[in-house]
Every structure is written in C-alpha cells, then in structure tokens.
Amino acid sequence: MNVTDAITQRISTRAFLDKPVGEAELRAILDVARFSPSGGNCQPWHVYALSGAGMARFRAELGDVMASDPMGEETEFHIYPPGIKEPYRSRRFKCGEDLYASIGIPRENKGGRLMQLAKNYDFFGAPAAFFFALDRQMGPGQWAHLGMLMQTICLTAEEMGLATCMQEAWARRHSFIRKFFGVPDELQLYCGLAVGYKDPGAPINSWRTERAPVDEIATFVS
Ligand SMILES: Cc1cc2nc3c(=O)[nH]c(=O)nc-3n(C[C@H](O)[C@H](O)[C@H](O)COP(=O)(O)O)c2cc1C
C-alpha cells in the first residue's frame, strides 16, 4: 500500500469485527509511528495501549462507572470552541447528519442518537485501543505534534489491514482512564483511538465524509 492509498482509504471506522488485535500488533504500529515528527523532536506524546485481558478489565470497570454516571464528566478542554464559527459549524453539522443518516436515525430520535454516541465508550466494538496524553505544560504546538503521531498510527494501521477511529469522546471519561492506567497528574488526557478489523457490512462504515476543495482551504502565490 502506498501513502496516497493509506490516506484516502482510511476512514473513521465505527463498527468492528469480533477479531482480536493484541499487544504485538499495537507495538508494531507504535514502532513505526514513533518516527512521526515533532517540533524540536520533543516527542511530547505519552501513549497508553489496551488489548486482550486489559481491554476486558477496562470494559468491565467502565461498565460500573457508566451505570452511575451515564452522561460522563466535564471535559478538561473544549472539544470544540464555544460558539464555533462558520464554515466549521456547518461542516460539523453535516458530518453528524450524514453519520446518523447512514444508520437511519433521524434528528427527532434523540434516544437513538444518544445510544449511537454511547458506542464510543465501547470503542465501537474494537478489540484494542490507544489513549494519548500530554504534559500539562505543553501548548498548541505540541498538541498539533501529538496529532501527527495519531494520524501516523492510523495510516500504519491501515497498511497492516487494520481500521481505526480517533475518539475525543473519551475526554468525558478522563478520571476513569487516569485511574485505570495510573496516569500521572502532570499529564492531561487528550484522545482515544479504537483499533480493530473493519466490519465491511456495517452501514455506519459505508459512508464517506466530504472535504473542501483545495482552493477553499489554500492560498497560492505563484
Ligand atoms: C482528534 C479526533 C477526534 C475524534 N473523535 C471522535 C469521536 O469521539 N467519536 C467519533 O465517532 N468520531 C471522532 N472523530 C472522527 C471524525 O468525526 C472524523 O475524522 C471526521 O468526520 C472525518 O471523517 P473520516 O475520519 O472518516 O475521514 C475524531 C476525529 C479526530 C481527528
């Protein structure tokens, strides 16, 4: 697989096959993705990887937390800026509408939409996952550099025949994740990333998000 194919084939996968992915695969992904660039080569990322019995224990313990706190806690950062402007607002809205349309859940079916959202907290059925954290000292630059690692992980996984979904939704469960992995206080949890084999028959994996054309996002001076 070449880089272009990996970039264009990767989608956020939201239904996975019941087929295991173990620590060996997660290590192999990270062993490639660790070559991602970062400003000053600071490599500001901290990665927590979950599979096998660890994943089973995570799911069991999270189940108790979800039962007592179904909506989740306040996030430590704004996932989107409050009052997000155009065109970002409309793009986000369309993405959500297209997602729910793919599985036939209309706007009025609030319960159905919430149940779909809650699947984030089962990694959409994925057998493995990563979580990412940064030292609280780090600023926007280093957050961007962590994003480079995350995308490189997704592309490496793609090459290995695996599918992924980045999941900021886990920001609503940061206390549980911190306790589970023993994440030190000086680190801030950012995001989760589900890893597994895509369920090719699942309608939620059958749609594609759109992208603005080059001339909408770029200014050329030639
Ligand atoms: C950092 C990051 C966090 C995301 N968090 C979630 C999430 O919590 N749940 C979810 O279903 N999708 C999540 N997504 C997926 C985005 O909605 C998706 O990347 C976007 O709509 C583009 O679609 P594509 O990934 O299929 O190309 C996240 C994406 C990124 C980059």
Short mmCIF file of all heavy atoms in Angstrom, two decimals, residues 92-147:
data_model
loop_
_atom_site.label_atom_id
_atom_site.label_comp_id
_atom_site.label_asym_id
_atom_site.label_seq_id
_atom_site.Cartn_x
_atom_site.Cartn_y
_atom_site.Cartn_z
N ARG A 92 -19.32 20.56 10.62
CA ARG A 92 -19.52 19.62 11.74
C ARG A 92 -20.95 19.08 11.74
O ARG A 92 -21.19 17.89 11.93
CB ARG A 92 -19.22 20.36 13.06
CG ARG A 92 -19.35 19.46 14.24
CD ARG A 92 -19.15 20.20 15.54
NE ARG A 92 -19.50 19.32 16.64
CZ ARG A 92 -19.90 19.73 17.83
NH1 ARG A 92 -19.96 21.01 18.10
NH2 ARG A 92 -20.20 18.86 18.75
N PHE A 93 -21.90 19.99 11.50
CA PHE A 93 -23.32 19.61 11.48
C PHE A 93 -23.56 18.57 10.39
O PHE A 93 -24.19 17.54 10.61
CB PHE A 93 -24.16 20.88 11.23
CG PHE A 93 -25.63 20.61 11.19
CD1 PHE A 93 -26.35 20.52 12.37
CD2 PHE A 93 -26.30 20.46 9.99
CE1 PHE A 93 -27.72 20.26 12.35
CE2 PHE A 93 -27.66 20.21 9.95
CZ PHE A 93 -28.37 20.11 11.13
N LYS A 94 -23.01 18.81 9.21
CA LYS A 94 -23.24 17.89 8.08
C LYS A 94 -22.63 16.51 8.37
O LYS A 94 -23.24 15.48 8.07
CB LYS A 94 -22.65 18.47 6.80
CG LYS A 94 -22.84 17.53 5.61
CD LYS A 94 -22.69 18.21 4.29
CE LYS A 94 -23.08 17.38 3.08
NZ LYS A 94 -23.26 15.97 3.24
N CYS A 95 -21.48 16.51 8.99
CA CYS A 95 -20.83 15.24 9.33
C CYS A 95 -21.75 14.42 10.25
O CYS A 95 -21.98 13.23 10.02
CB CYS A 95 -19.49 15.54 10.00
SG CYS A 95 -18.70 14.11 10.72
N GLY A 96 -22.30 15.08 11.25
CA GLY A 96 -23.20 14.38 12.18
C GLY A 96 -24.46 13.89 11.48
O GLY A 96 -24.87 12.74 11.64
N GLU A 97 -25.04 14.77 10.64
CA GLU A 97 -26.27 14.37 9.94
C GLU A 97 -26.02 13.20 8.99
O GLU A 97 -26.82 12.26 8.92
CB GLU A 97 -26.85 15.57 9.16
CG GLU A 97 -27.44 16.64 10.04
CD GLU A 97 -28.52 16.12 11.00
OE1 GLU A 97 -29.47 15.49 10.53
OE2 GLU A 97 -28.38 16.33 12.21
N ASP A 98 -24.91 13.22 8.28
CA ASP A 98 -24.58 12.13 7.35
C ASP A 98 -24.34 10.83 8.11
O ASP A 98 -24.75 9.75 7.66
CB ASP A 98 -23.35 12.48 6.51
CG ASP A 98 -23.64 13.56 5.47
OD1 ASP A 98 -24.82 13.91 5.30
OD2 ASP A 98 -22.68 14.03 4.83
N LEU A 99 -23.69 10.94 9.27
CA LEU A 99 -23.44 9.74 10.08
C LEU A 99 -24.76 9.09 10.50
O LEU A 99 -24.98 7.90 10.28
CB LEU A 99 -22.60 10.12 11.31
CG LEU A 99 -22.14 8.99 12.23
CD1 LEU A 99 -20.86 9.39 12.96
CD2 LEU A 99 -23.19 8.58 13.25
N TYR A 100 -25.66 9.92 11.06
CA TYR A 100 -26.92 9.35 11.56
C TYR A 100 -27.81 8.89 10.40
O TYR A 100 -28.52 7.90 10.53
CB TYR A 100 -27.65 10.36 12.45
CG TYR A 100 -26.94 10.57 13.76
CD1 TYR A 100 -26.42 11.80 14.13
CD2 TYR A 100 -26.76 9.51 14.65
CE1 TYR A 100 -25.74 11.98 15.33
CE2 TYR A 100 -26.09 9.67 15.85
CZ TYR A 100 -25.58 10.91 16.18
OH TYR A 100 -24.90 11.05 17.36
N ALA A 101 -27.72 9.56 9.24
CA ALA A 101 -28.50 9.13 8.07
C ALA A 101 -28.05 7.74 7.62
O ALA A 101 -28.87 6.92 7.19
CB ALA A 101 -28.34 10.14 6.94
N SER A 102 -26.75 7.45 7.75
CA SER A 102 -26.23 6.16 7.28
C SER A 102 -26.83 5.00 8.06
O SER A 102 -26.87 3.88 7.57
CB SER A 102 -24.70 6.13 7.37
OG SER A 102 -24.26 5.95 8.71
N ILE A 103 -27.28 5.29 9.30
CA ILE A 103 -27.88 4.22 10.11
C ILE A 103 -29.36 4.51 10.39
O ILE A 103 -29.96 3.90 11.28
CB ILE A 103 -27.09 4.00 11.42
CG1 ILE A 103 -26.80 5.31 12.14
CG2 ILE A 103 -25.80 3.24 11.14
CD1 ILE A 103 -26.14 5.15 13.50
N GLY A 104 -29.91 5.44 9.63
CA GLY A 104 -31.36 5.69 9.69
C GLY A 104 -31.86 6.20 11.02
O GLY A 104 -32.95 5.81 11.46
N ILE A 105 -31.11 7.09 11.65
CA ILE A 105 -31.59 7.68 12.92
C ILE A 105 -31.88 9.16 12.68
O ILE A 105 -30.95 9.99 12.60
CB ILE A 105 -30.56 7.52 14.07
CG1 ILE A 105 -30.19 6.05 14.25
CG2 ILE A 105 -31.12 8.09 15.38
CD1 ILE A 105 -29.23 5.79 15.39
N PRO A 106 -33.16 9.54 12.55
CA PRO A 106 -33.49 10.94 12.27
C PRO A 106 -33.26 11.84 13.50
O PRO A 106 -33.11 11.36 14.62
CB PRO A 106 -34.97 10.89 11.91
CG PRO A 106 -35.49 9.67 12.58
CD PRO A 106 -34.35 8.70 12.69
N ARG A 107 -33.23 13.13 13.22
CA ARG A 107 -32.99 14.18 14.23
C ARG A 107 -33.93 14.03 15.45
O ARG A 107 -33.50 14.22 16.58
CB ARG A 107 -33.22 15.51 13.53
CG ARG A 107 -33.11 16.76 14.30
CD ARG A 107 -32.64 17.88 13.38
NE ARG A 107 -31.21 17.84 13.25
CZ ARG A 107 -30.37 18.41 14.13
NH1 ARG A 107 -30.83 19.08 15.14
NH2 ARG A 107 -29.09 18.33 13.96
N GLU A 108 -35.21 13.66 15.17
CA GLU A 108 -36.20 13.57 16.27
C GLU A 108 -35.88 12.42 17.23
O GLU A 108 -36.29 12.44 18.39
CB GLU A 108 -37.62 13.33 15.74
CG GLU A 108 -38.06 14.17 14.57
CD GLU A 108 -37.47 13.70 13.25
OE1 GLU A 108 -37.88 12.65 12.72
OE2 GLU A 108 -36.55 14.41 12.77
N ASN A 109 -35.16 11.42 16.75
CA ASN A 109 -34.88 10.24 17.58
C ASN A 109 -33.66 10.50 18.46
O ASN A 109 -32.57 9.95 18.26
CB ASN A 109 -34.66 9.01 16.67
CG ASN A 109 -34.52 7.74 17.49
OD1 ASN A 109 -34.47 7.77 18.71
ND2 ASN A 109 -34.44 6.61 16.80
N LYS A 110 -33.88 11.36 19.47
CA LYS A 110 -32.77 11.77 20.34
C LYS A 110 -32.17 10.57 21.07
O LYS A 110 -30.95 10.47 21.22
CB LYS A 110 -33.27 12.79 21.37
CG LYS A 110 -33.77 14.08 20.76
CD LYS A 110 -32.81 15.23 21.03
CE LYS A 110 -33.29 16.57 20.52
NZ LYS A 110 -33.41 16.69 19.07
N GLY A 111 -33.07 9.66 21.50
CA GLY A 111 -32.59 8.47 22.23
C GLY A 111 -31.69 7.61 21.36
O GLY A 111 -30.64 7.15 21.81
N GLY A 112 -32.10 7.43 20.10
CA GLY A 112 -31.30 6.63 19.16
C GLY A 112 -29.94 7.25 18.93
O GLY A 112 -28.92 6.55 18.87
N ARG A 113 -29.92 8.58 18.81
CA ARG A 113 -28.64 9.27 18.59
C ARG A 113 -27.74 9.15 19.81
O ARG A 113 -26.53 8.94 19.68
CB ARG A 113 -28.89 10.73 18.22
CG ARG A 113 -29.48 10.86 16.82
CD ARG A 113 -29.51 12.27 16.29
NE ARG A 113 -29.87 12.25 14.86
CZ ARG A 113 -29.63 13.22 14.00
NH1 ARG A 113 -29.06 14.32 14.41
NH2 ARG A 113 -29.97 13.09 12.73
N LEU A 114 -28.35 9.26 21.00
CA LEU A 114 -27.55 9.12 22.23
C LEU A 114 -26.97 7.71 22.35
O LEU A 114 -25.82 7.53 22.77
CB LEU A 114 -28.40 9.43 23.46
CG LEU A 114 -28.52 10.90 23.82
CD1 LEU A 114 -29.47 11.09 24.99
CD2 LEU A 114 -27.15 11.49 24.15
N MET A 115 -27.78 6.71 21.94
CA MET A 115 -27.29 5.33 22.02
C MET A 115 -26.13 5.10 21.06
O MET A 115 -25.17 4.40 21.39
CB MET A 115 -28.42 4.34 21.74
CG MET A 115 -29.24 4.05 22.99
SD MET A 115 -30.70 3.10 22.65
CE MET A 115 -29.98 1.55 22.20
N GLN A 116 -26.21 5.72 19.89
CA GLN A 116 -25.08 5.62 18.95
C GLN A 116 -23.84 6.30 19.53
O GLN A 116 -22.74 5.75 19.48
CB GLN A 116 -25.47 6.25 17.60
CG GLN A 116 -24.31 6.36 16.61
CD GLN A 116 -23.61 5.05 16.31
OE1 GLN A 116 -24.24 4.00 16.24
NE2 GLN A 116 -22.29 5.09 16.16
N LEU A 117 -24.06 7.47 20.13
CA LEU A 117 -22.94 8.21 20.75
C LEU A 117 -22.27 7.37 21.84
O LEU A 117 -21.04 7.33 21.97
CB LEU A 117 -23.49 9.50 21.34
CG LEU A 117 -22.50 10.63 21.61
CD1 LEU A 117 -21.89 11.13 20.30
CD2 LEU A 117 -23.23 11.78 22.32
N ALA A 118 -23.12 6.65 22.60
CA ALA A 118 -22.60 5.84 23.72
C ALA A 118 -21.70 4.71 23.23
O ALA A 118 -20.86 4.21 23.99
CB ALA A 118 -23.76 5.28 24.53
N LYS A 119 -21.83 4.34 21.97
CA LYS A 119 -20.97 3.26 21.43
C LYS A 119 -19.50 3.67 21.42
O LYS A 119 -18.62 2.82 21.34
CB LYS A 119 -21.44 2.84 20.03
CG LYS A 119 -22.76 2.11 20.06
CD LYS A 119 -23.17 1.62 18.69
CE LYS A 119 -24.53 0.93 18.79
NZ LYS A 119 -25.07 0.52 17.50
N ASN A 120 -19.26 4.98 21.47
CA ASN A 120 -17.88 5.44 21.64
C ASN A 120 -17.23 4.74 22.84
O ASN A 120 -16.06 4.38 22.80
CB ASN A 120 -17.84 6.94 21.91
CG ASN A 120 -17.72 7.78 20.64
OD1 ASN A 120 -16.67 7.81 20.00
ND2 ASN A 120 -18.81 8.45 20.28
N TYR A 121 -18.04 4.56 23.90
CA TYR A 121 -17.46 4.05 25.15
C TYR A 121 -17.37 2.53 25.18
O TYR A 121 -17.03 1.93 26.20
CB TYR A 121 -18.25 4.63 26.34
CG TYR A 121 -18.25 6.14 26.27
CD1 TYR A 121 -19.41 6.86 26.00
CD2 TYR A 121 -17.05 6.85 26.39
CE1 TYR A 121 -19.39 8.24 25.87
CE2 TYR A 121 -17.02 8.23 26.25
CZ TYR A 121 -18.19 8.91 26.00
OH TYR A 121 -18.15 10.29 25.85
N ASP A 122 -17.66 1.93 24.02
CA ASP A 122 -17.33 0.52 23.81
C ASP A 122 -16.34 0.42 22.65
O ASP A 122 -16.16 -0.65 22.07
CB ASP A 122 -18.62 -0.27 23.48
CG ASP A 122 -18.36 -1.77 23.41
OD1 ASP A 122 -17.55 -2.26 24.23
OD2 ASP A 122 -18.90 -2.44 22.51
N PHE A 123 -15.68 1.54 22.33
CA PHE A 123 -14.74 1.58 21.19
C PHE A 123 -15.42 1.05 19.92
O PHE A 123 -14.76 0.44 19.09
CB PHE A 123 -13.48 0.76 21.49
CG PHE A 123 -12.75 1.15 22.74
CD1 PHE A 123 -12.93 0.44 23.92
CD2 PHE A 123 -11.87 2.22 22.74
CE1 PHE A 123 -12.25 0.79 25.08
CE2 PHE A 123 -11.18 2.58 23.89
CZ PHE A 123 -11.39 1.86 25.07
N PHE A 124 -16.71 1.22 19.82
CA PHE A 124 -17.49 0.71 18.67
C PHE A 124 -17.25 -0.78 18.46
O PHE A 124 -17.29 -1.27 17.33
CB PHE A 124 -17.16 1.50 17.39
CG PHE A 124 -17.37 2.99 17.51
CD1 PHE A 124 -16.29 3.86 17.56
CD2 PHE A 124 -18.65 3.51 17.61
CE1 PHE A 124 -16.48 5.23 17.69
CE2 PHE A 124 -18.85 4.89 17.74
CZ PHE A 124 -17.76 5.73 17.78
N GLY A 125 -16.93 -1.48 19.54
CA GLY A 125 -16.70 -2.92 19.44
C GLY A 125 -15.28 -3.30 19.09
O GLY A 125 -14.98 -4.50 18.92
N ALA A 126 -14.38 -2.35 19.01
CA ALA A 126 -12.98 -2.67 18.65
C ALA A 126 -12.31 -3.46 19.78
O ALA A 126 -12.58 -3.22 20.95
CB ALA A 126 -12.20 -1.39 18.37
N PRO A 127 -11.41 -4.37 19.43
CA PRO A 127 -10.75 -5.18 20.45
C PRO A 127 -9.53 -4.51 21.10
O PRO A 127 -8.98 -5.04 22.07
CB PRO A 127 -10.29 -6.42 19.65
CG PRO A 127 -10.06 -5.89 18.26
CD PRO A 127 -11.08 -4.79 18.06
N ALA A 128 -9.11 -3.38 20.55
CA ALA A 128 -7.87 -2.74 21.06
C ALA A 128 -7.99 -1.23 20.91
O ALA A 128 -8.83 -0.74 20.14
CB ALA A 128 -6.67 -3.25 20.28
N ALA A 129 -7.16 -0.53 21.66
CA ALA A 129 -7.23 0.94 21.61
C ALA A 129 -5.95 1.57 22.14
O ALA A 129 -5.18 0.93 22.87
CB ALA A 129 -8.42 1.43 22.44
N PHE A 130 -5.77 2.82 21.75
CA PHE A 130 -4.73 3.66 22.35
C PHE A 130 -5.42 4.84 23.04
O PHE A 130 -6.50 5.27 22.62
CB PHE A 130 -3.81 4.25 21.27
CG PHE A 130 -2.97 3.24 20.53
CD1 PHE A 130 -3.21 2.98 19.19
CD2 PHE A 130 -1.91 2.59 21.15
CE1 PHE A 130 -2.42 2.07 18.48
CE2 PHE A 130 -1.12 1.68 20.46
CZ PHE A 130 -1.37 1.42 19.13
N PHE A 131 -4.74 5.37 24.05
CA PHE A 131 -5.09 6.68 24.60
C PHE A 131 -3.84 7.53 24.56
O PHE A 131 -2.72 7.01 24.68
CB PHE A 131 -5.57 6.55 26.06
CG PHE A 131 -6.92 5.92 26.17
CD1 PHE A 131 -7.03 4.58 26.53
CD2 PHE A 131 -8.07 6.64 25.92
CE1 PHE A 131 -8.27 3.98 26.63
CE2 PHE A 131 -9.32 6.05 26.01
CZ PHE A 131 -9.42 4.72 26.37
N PHE A 132 -4.05 8.85 24.44
CA PHE A 132 -2.92 9.76 24.30
C PHE A 132 -3.00 10.86 25.36
O PHE A 132 -4.09 11.38 25.63
CB PHE A 132 -2.92 10.41 22.92
CG PHE A 132 -2.91 9.39 21.82
CD1 PHE A 132 -4.10 8.99 21.22
CD2 PHE A 132 -1.73 8.79 21.44
CE1 PHE A 132 -4.09 8.03 20.24
CE2 PHE A 132 -1.72 7.81 20.45
CZ PHE A 132 -2.90 7.42 19.85
N ALA A 133 -1.83 11.19 25.91
CA ALA A 133 -1.76 12.25 26.92
C ALA A 133 -0.54 13.12 26.64
O ALA A 133 0.41 12.70 25.97
CB ALA A 133 -1.68 11.62 28.30
N LEU A 134 -0.61 14.33 27.16
CA LEU A 134 0.46 15.32 27.02
C LEU A 134 0.75 15.94 28.37
O LEU A 134 -0.17 16.09 29.18
CB LEU A 134 -0.03 16.48 26.16
CG LEU A 134 -0.13 16.36 24.66
CD1 LEU A 134 -1.04 17.47 24.16
CD2 LEU A 134 1.24 16.50 24.03
N ASP A 135 1.98 16.34 28.59
CA ASP A 135 2.28 17.10 29.80
C ASP A 135 1.47 18.40 29.78
O ASP A 135 1.34 19.05 28.75
CB ASP A 135 3.78 17.44 29.84
CG ASP A 135 4.22 17.83 31.24
OD1 ASP A 135 3.76 18.89 31.73
OD2 ASP A 135 5.01 17.08 31.84
N ARG A 136 0.92 18.75 30.93
CA ARG A 136 0.07 19.96 31.01
C ARG A 136 0.84 21.23 30.65
O ARG A 136 0.25 22.27 30.34
CB ARG A 136 -0.52 20.11 32.42
CG ARG A 136 -1.52 19.02 32.76
CD ARG A 136 -2.13 19.22 34.14
NE ARG A 136 -2.86 18.04 34.56
CZ ARG A 136 -4.12 17.76 34.20
NH1 ARG A 136 -4.79 18.61 33.43
NH2 ARG A 136 -4.70 16.65 34.60
N GLN A 137 2.17 21.15 30.69
CA GLN A 137 2.99 22.30 30.34
C GLN A 137 2.91 22.62 28.84
O GLN A 137 3.18 23.74 28.42
CB GLN A 137 4.45 21.94 30.68
CG GLN A 137 5.45 23.01 30.41
CD GLN A 137 6.87 22.51 30.55
OE1 GLN A 137 7.23 21.46 30.05
NE2 GLN A 137 7.65 23.27 31.30
N MET A 138 2.55 21.62 28.04
CA MET A 138 2.63 21.77 26.59
C MET A 138 1.52 22.67 26.05
O MET A 138 0.42 22.72 26.57
CB MET A 138 2.54 20.39 25.92
CG MET A 138 3.67 19.47 26.30
SD MET A 138 5.27 20.18 25.88
CE MET A 138 6.38 18.94 26.56
N GLY A 139 1.85 23.35 24.93
CA GLY A 139 0.92 24.30 24.32
C GLY A 139 0.41 23.81 22.97
O GLY A 139 0.62 22.65 22.61
N PRO A 140 -0.24 24.72 22.21
CA PRO A 140 -0.87 24.33 20.94
C PRO A 140 0.09 23.62 19.99
O PRO A 140 -0.31 22.69 19.29
CB PRO A 140 -1.33 25.66 20.33
CG PRO A 140 -1.41 26.60 21.48
CD PRO A 140 -0.45 26.14 22.53
N GLY A 141 1.35 24.03 19.96
CA GLY A 141 2.30 23.38 19.05
C GLY A 141 2.41 21.90 19.36
O GLY A 141 2.26 21.04 18.47
N GLN A 142 2.61 21.57 20.62
CA GLN A 142 2.82 20.17 20.99
C GLN A 142 1.53 19.36 20.82
O GLN A 142 1.59 18.18 20.51
CB GLN A 142 3.35 20.07 22.42
CG GLN A 142 4.76 20.59 22.60
CD GLN A 142 4.83 22.10 22.55
OE1 GLN A 142 3.95 22.79 23.06
NE2 GLN A 142 5.88 22.63 21.94
N TRP A 143 0.39 20.00 21.02
CA TRP A 143 -0.88 19.29 20.76
C TRP A 143 -0.96 18.91 19.28
O TRP A 143 -1.38 17.82 18.92
CB TRP A 143 -2.08 20.17 21.15
CG TRP A 143 -2.35 20.21 22.62
CD1 TRP A 143 -1.52 20.71 23.58
CD2 TRP A 143 -3.51 19.72 23.32
NE1 TRP A 143 -2.10 20.57 24.82
CE2 TRP A 143 -3.32 19.97 24.68
CE3 TRP A 143 -4.68 19.12 22.89
CZ2 TRP A 143 -4.25 19.62 25.65
CZ3 TRP A 143 -5.63 18.77 23.85
CH2 TRP A 143 -5.42 19.02 25.22
N ALA A 144 -0.52 19.84 18.43
CA ALA A 144 -0.51 19.54 16.99
C ALA A 144 0.44 18.38 16.70
O ALA A 144 0.15 17.50 15.88
CB ALA A 144 -0.11 20.78 16.19
N HIS A 145 1.57 18.36 17.39
CA HIS A 145 2.55 17.29 17.14
C HIS A 145 1.99 15.94 17.56
O HIS A 145 2.23 14.92 16.90
CB HIS A 145 3.86 17.59 17.87
CG HIS A 145 4.39 18.96 17.56
ND1 HIS A 145 5.27 19.64 18.38
CD2 HIS A 145 4.12 19.80 16.53
CE1 HIS A 145 5.52 20.83 17.85
NE2 HIS A 145 4.83 20.94 16.74
N LEU A 146 1.22 15.92 18.63
CA LEU A 146 0.56 14.66 19.03
C LEU A 146 -0.39 14.20 17.92
O LEU A 146 -0.49 13.01 17.63
CB LEU A 146 -0.18 14.86 20.35
CG LEU A 146 -1.09 13.71 20.79
CD1 LEU A 146 -0.33 12.38 20.86
CD2 LEU A 146 -1.73 14.01 22.15
N GLY A 147 -1.06 15.17 17.29
CA GLY A 147 -1.95 14.83 16.17
C GLY A 147 -1.20 14.13 15.05
O GLY A 147 -1.75 13.23 14.38
#
